[in-house]
Amino acid sequence: LHLEYSVHQKLYEAFHIKQIPVIAVADGVVMGAGAGLWMASSVRLATENTLFAMPETGIGLLPDAGAMHFLRKSCPPSVGLYLAMTGSRLGPDDALYAGLATHLVQATSGSLGSALVSDLAKSPPGDYSRVLESFGATTSPVSPPPLEAKRGAIDEVFLLEKDGARTSVGSVVSALEALRARPELEPWATELLAKLVGVDQGPACCPTSVAAALLCLQLAETHAKAEAGAATSDAKAAEAARSIELIANAKLAGRADFAEGVACAVGAKKGQRAAWDLSSYGSSSDGSSSEPLDGLSALLEIESEIETAAKVGKLTLDQTRGFLLES
């Protein structure tokens, strides 16, 4: 992880400090570490084959690889939280609409990447716009983004703060329950409730991870606001966000939920619904969580660790690595 995050930092510095554009093509599945590398680039091309998601809450972790920064910075706040908590997937038009992709381009064949590299190598340094134009790159959606049609509902449900107070998982669930009364939104709201708290069976996403994703995005936002206006504010906000997610995932990875999530995703129990640890919550007869997550002791421990160690400008990646080795 330390090596991965160091690469993210170098990509960030290449553009923001050295003014060297970094172009990345997402011609397929973009998740986890791949999403982190893509989002650390300054020019992010999506093709008709792009499928973006940060699905870590489905295996007992929270989105990392810089997600606590780029979901907050690049996406509208409600969209970033929606993606972090639910792991929902986006196609190319949605990725562009959400601020994740900067351009759309047709892949048409498997040689797009090599052809781009070849043409860029022949161009003057930094002059990539004409090359992108020659490949038909556009900054407008090809088709109406499905995410746009749900944007109003997402804004209602997935806010980092509401009425001056931090949003809780409970308030998210309550808002989704209310949306089920609207026929046009009932299927979507029910799908998300099945992920977050379970409907006919236990939740698809790990309850602790869902709450941790919300908490860590809120903490990242708090740290970013504290640095707003400073010349190095974005760099410090990015580093603080990486520290927050590293510390949180170090704690989450030590829980039984992580082993259970991986087993059900790719291991011996592949295809089965994970049996998350709901011992800290009230449970309904079907095994779903009926008291959504707020105040869980593990989350309070995570928040305490982060607030103690991950002060903006006080915790570098090297120091974070030392903290994790000690944990």
Side-chain angles (χ1 to χ4, degrees):
L1 279 178
H2 181 63
L3 175 60
E4 177 187 331
Y5 277 52
S6 296
V7 172
H8 294 166
Q9 182 65 20
K10 289 184 184 299
L11 290 173
Y12 179 90
E13 291 173 356
F15 179 70
H16 291 276
I17 297 177
K18 301 177 182 178
Q19 302 299 304
I20 301 172
V22 179
I23 301 173
V25 182
D27 187 27
V29 175
V30 191
M31 299 182 183
L37 290 173
W38 191 51
M39 290 303 301
S41 304
S42 52
V43 180
R44 301 179 296 278
L45 307 182
T47 76
E48 68 273 20
N49 303 316
T50 299
L51 180 64
F52 177 94
M54 296 302 289
E56 286 84 352
T57 59
I59 60 169
L61 297 177
L62 60 80
D64 57 3
M68 293 297 105
H69 182 62
F70 68 69
L71 290 178
R72 182 198 62 78
K73 179 188 174 185
S74 299
C75 300
S78 58
V79 173
L81 181 57
Y82 161 68
L83 296 175
M85 292 178 71
T86 69
S88 295
R89 299 181 174 191
L90 304 182
D93 292 300
D94 277 342
L96 183 67
Y97 173 78
L100 299 166
T102 60
H103 299 75
L104 297 183
V105 63
Q106 288 290 311
T108 63
S109 71
S111 61
L112 173 63
S114 58
L116 267 173
V117 170
S118 176
D119 284 11
L120 287 167
K122 301 171 187 175
S123 302
D127 184 15
Y128 60 85
S129 296
R130 281 179 288 182
V131 175
L132 295 184
E133 289 174 6
S134 72
F135 280 85
T138 177
T139 56
S140 301
V142 175
S143 303
L147 192 65
E148 185 175 16
K150 296 288 191 300
R151 178 64 187 278
I154 291 171
D155 286 348
E156 286 185 50
V157 176
F158 294 95
L159 296 172
L160 290 174
E161 292 184 1
K162 192 170 186 178
D163 299 326
R166 278 185 177 181
T167 295
S168 67
V169 178
S171 65
V172 168
V173 171
S174 296
L176 287 171
E177 290 284 8
L179 290 184
R180 294 180 79 184
R182 304 185 199 175
E184 73 279 12
L185 292 173
E186 191 277 333
W188 178 77
T190 299
E191 176 187 350
L192 294 186
L193 285 168
K195 290 184 176 184
L196 299 179
V197 293
V199 177
D200 298 322
Q201 53 185 324
C205 297
C206 172
T208 305
S209 295
V210 167
L214 170 58
L215 169 66
C216 289
L217 266 181
Q218 289 169 331
L219 291 173
E221 177 70 8
T222 297
H223 287 306
K225 286 180 177 178
E227 285 294 323
T232 57
S233 60
D234 189 65
K236 287 187 175 181
E239 190 159 38
R242 288 193 292 267
S243 297
I244 287 168
E245 63 193 37
L246 275 168
I247 293 167
N249 268 342
K251 297 296 180 182
L252 292 172
R255 294 172 57 85
D257 280 339
F258 176 54
E260 174 72 5
V262 171
C264 292
V266 296
K269 301 169 68 176
K270 185 176 181 179
Q272 298 181 34
R273 181 63 64 96
W276 308 117
D277 178 11
L278 304 177
S279 59
S280 297
Y281 319 118
S283 296
S284 58
S285 57
D286 64 2
S288 63
S289 172
S290 61
E291 295 180 10
L293 326 182
D294 306 314
L296 180 65
S297 59
L299 289 181
L300 295 178
E301 178 188 354
I302 289 169
E303 181 168 20
S304 175
E305 298 279 11
I306 291 169
E307 293 288 18
T308 298
K311 302 297 184 183
V312 171
K314 300 290 181 65
L315 188 66
T316 66
L317 286 177
D318 285 336
Q319 289 169 326
T320 301
R321 181 172 181 267
F323 175 86
L324 296 176
L325 291 174
E326 294 170 5
S327 300

